[in-house]
Short mmCIF file of all heavy atoms in Angstrom, two decimals:
data_model
loop_
_atom_site.label_atom_id
_atom_site.label_comp_id
_atom_site.label_asym_id
_atom_site.label_seq_id
_atom_site.Cartn_x
_atom_site.Cartn_y
_atom_site.Cartn_z
N SER Q 401 80.15 84.59 76.24
CA SER Q 401 81.41 85.45 75.87
C SER Q 401 82.66 84.55 76.00
O SER Q 401 83.72 85.05 75.66
CB SER Q 401 81.49 86.60 76.99
OG SER Q 401 81.91 86.12 78.26
N MET Q 402 82.70 83.41 76.63
CA MET Q 402 83.91 82.48 76.53
C MET Q 402 83.60 81.05 76.38
O MET Q 402 82.94 80.38 77.06
CB MET Q 402 84.50 82.69 77.99
CG MET Q 402 85.93 82.19 77.94
SD MET Q 402 87.02 82.72 79.22
CE MET Q 402 87.03 84.42 79.30
N LYS Q 403 84.23 80.54 75.47
CA LYS Q 403 84.25 79.18 75.07
C LYS Q 403 85.41 78.47 75.88
O LYS Q 403 86.51 78.92 75.85
CB LYS Q 403 84.38 78.91 73.56
CG LYS Q 403 83.36 79.48 72.68
CD LYS Q 403 82.13 78.68 72.81
CE LYS Q 403 80.93 79.35 72.29
NZ LYS Q 403 80.05 80.02 73.21
N LYS Q 404 85.06 77.42 76.60
CA LYS Q 404 86.08 76.64 77.41
C LYS Q 404 86.22 75.26 77.06
O LYS Q 404 85.25 74.64 76.72
CB LYS Q 404 85.68 76.86 78.84
CG LYS Q 404 85.27 78.12 79.29
CD LYS Q 404 84.81 78.24 80.79
CE LYS Q 404 84.25 79.56 81.06
NZ LYS Q 404 83.82 79.76 82.45
N SER Q 405 87.34 74.68 77.38
CA SER Q 405 87.51 73.23 77.37
C SER Q 405 87.61 72.72 78.89
O SER Q 405 88.63 72.58 79.34
CB SER Q 405 88.76 72.77 76.66
OG SER Q 405 89.26 73.68 75.87
N SER Q 406 86.52 72.73 79.50
CA SER Q 406 86.40 72.29 80.94
C SER Q 406 86.56 70.86 80.98
O SER Q 406 86.38 70.14 80.08
CB SER Q 406 85.16 72.69 81.52
OG SER Q 406 84.97 74.03 81.21
N TYR Q 407 86.99 70.28 82.14
CA TYR Q 407 87.05 68.93 82.26
C TYR Q 407 86.66 68.51 83.80
O TYR Q 407 86.89 69.13 84.77
CB TYR Q 407 88.40 68.26 82.03
CG TYR Q 407 89.59 68.99 82.77
CD1 TYR Q 407 90.15 68.51 83.86
CD2 TYR Q 407 90.21 70.08 82.16
CE1 TYR Q 407 91.11 69.10 84.61
CE2 TYR Q 407 91.25 70.70 82.79
CZ TYR Q 407 91.66 70.39 84.10
OH TYR Q 407 92.81 70.85 84.56
N GLY Q 408 86.05 67.22 83.92
CA GLY Q 408 85.73 66.79 85.20
C GLY Q 408 86.77 66.02 85.86
O GLY Q 408 87.89 65.85 85.17
N ALA Q 409 86.60 65.45 87.02
CA ALA Q 409 87.73 64.72 87.72
C ALA Q 409 87.80 63.32 87.09
O ALA Q 409 86.84 62.49 87.42
CB ALA Q 409 87.38 64.66 89.13
N LYS Q 410 88.77 63.05 86.37
CA LYS Q 410 88.93 61.70 85.66
C LYS Q 410 90.28 61.19 86.26
O LYS Q 410 91.35 61.53 85.66
CB LYS Q 410 88.80 61.73 84.19
CG LYS Q 410 87.66 62.24 83.78
CD LYS Q 410 87.31 61.89 82.24
CE LYS Q 410 85.88 62.26 81.78
NZ LYS Q 410 85.93 63.29 80.86
N SER Q 411 90.10 60.26 87.25
CA SER Q 411 91.35 59.84 88.00
C SER Q 411 92.32 59.01 86.92
O SER Q 411 93.49 59.15 87.12
CB SER Q 411 90.99 58.89 89.08
OG SER Q 411 89.88 58.29 88.82
N GLY Q 412 91.75 58.45 85.81
CA GLY Q 412 92.69 57.73 84.92
C GLY Q 412 93.62 58.69 84.12
O GLY Q 412 94.59 58.27 83.54
N GLN Q 413 93.38 59.95 84.29
CA GLN Q 413 94.25 60.96 83.45
C GLN Q 413 95.23 61.64 84.29
O GLN Q 413 95.90 62.55 83.77
CB GLN Q 413 93.22 61.98 82.80
CG GLN Q 413 92.26 61.24 81.87
CD GLN Q 413 91.27 62.31 81.27
OE1 GLN Q 413 91.25 63.43 81.65
NE2 GLN Q 413 90.47 61.81 80.34
N TRP Q 414 95.34 61.19 85.44
CA TRP Q 414 96.31 61.98 86.31
C TRP Q 414 97.74 61.44 86.38
O TRP Q 414 98.61 61.96 87.01
CB TRP Q 414 95.80 62.07 87.78
CG TRP Q 414 94.43 62.87 87.90
CD1 TRP Q 414 93.99 63.62 87.00
CD2 TRP Q 414 93.45 62.62 88.95
NE1 TRP Q 414 92.71 64.11 87.32
CE2 TRP Q 414 92.37 63.58 88.59
CE3 TRP Q 414 93.39 61.79 90.07
CZ2 TRP Q 414 91.26 63.64 89.38
CZ3 TRP Q 414 92.06 61.93 90.79
CH2 TRP Q 414 91.04 62.80 90.44
N ASP Q 415 97.92 60.26 85.72
CA ASP Q 415 99.20 59.60 85.84
C ASP Q 415 100.41 60.29 85.50
O ASP Q 415 101.45 60.36 86.01
CB ASP Q 415 99.22 58.20 85.02
CG ASP Q 415 98.20 57.11 85.72
OD1 ASP Q 415 97.93 57.40 86.88
OD2 ASP Q 415 98.03 56.14 85.07
N GLU Q 416 100.18 61.15 84.26
CA GLU Q 416 101.29 61.92 83.81
C GLU Q 416 101.70 62.95 84.88
O GLU Q 416 102.82 63.31 85.08
CB GLU Q 416 100.76 62.72 82.56
CG GLU Q 416 101.82 63.18 81.68
CD GLU Q 416 101.31 63.94 80.37
OE1 GLU Q 416 100.04 64.27 80.42
OE2 GLU Q 416 102.20 64.22 79.48
N VAL Q 417 100.79 63.44 85.58
CA VAL Q 417 101.03 64.48 86.71
C VAL Q 417 101.83 63.81 87.74
O VAL Q 417 102.81 64.32 88.27
CB VAL Q 417 99.64 65.10 87.31
CG1 VAL Q 417 99.97 65.80 88.56
CG2 VAL Q 417 99.06 65.96 86.25
N PHE Q 418 101.33 62.63 88.22
CA PHE Q 418 102.01 62.01 89.33
C PHE Q 418 103.47 61.62 88.89
O PHE Q 418 104.50 61.76 89.63
CB PHE Q 418 101.33 60.71 89.80
CG PHE Q 418 100.04 61.10 90.34
CD1 PHE Q 418 98.83 60.33 90.01
CD2 PHE Q 418 99.86 62.16 91.16
CE1 PHE Q 418 97.56 60.67 90.58
CE2 PHE Q 418 98.52 62.37 91.88
CZ PHE Q 418 97.41 61.71 91.53
N ASP Q 419 103.66 61.07 87.60
CA ASP Q 419 104.90 60.78 87.13
C ASP Q 419 105.82 61.94 87.13
O ASP Q 419 107.07 61.90 87.47
CB ASP Q 419 104.87 60.24 85.60
CG ASP Q 419 104.37 58.82 85.58
OD1 ASP Q 419 104.34 58.14 86.73
OD2 ASP Q 419 103.96 58.29 84.58
N TYR Q 420 105.40 63.13 86.61
CA TYR Q 420 106.23 64.29 86.62
C TYR Q 420 106.67 64.69 88.00
O TYR Q 420 107.95 65.05 88.24
CB TYR Q 420 105.45 65.58 86.09
CG TYR Q 420 106.10 66.98 86.04
CD1 TYR Q 420 106.94 67.12 84.88
CD2 TYR Q 420 106.23 67.70 87.13
CE1 TYR Q 420 107.74 68.29 84.91
CE2 TYR Q 420 106.93 68.92 87.04
CZ TYR Q 420 107.71 69.17 86.00
OH TYR Q 420 108.45 70.29 85.95
N ILE Q 421 105.72 64.65 89.02
CA ILE Q 421 106.13 64.97 90.42
C ILE Q 421 107.22 63.85 90.86
O ILE Q 421 108.18 64.33 91.52
CB ILE Q 421 104.85 64.93 91.31
CG1 ILE Q 421 103.87 66.13 90.88
CG2 ILE Q 421 105.30 65.23 92.80
CD1 ILE Q 421 102.56 66.10 91.58
#
Side-chain angles (χ1 to χ4, degrees):
S401 72
M402 195 170 297
K403 298 281 163 266
K404 311 179 190 184
S405 341
S406 311
Y407 53 90
K410 294 201 178 111
S411 36
Q413 296 175 357
W414 299 335
D415 289 347
E416 203 183 7
V417 167
F418 296 136
D419 283 344
Y420 180 87
I421 298 173

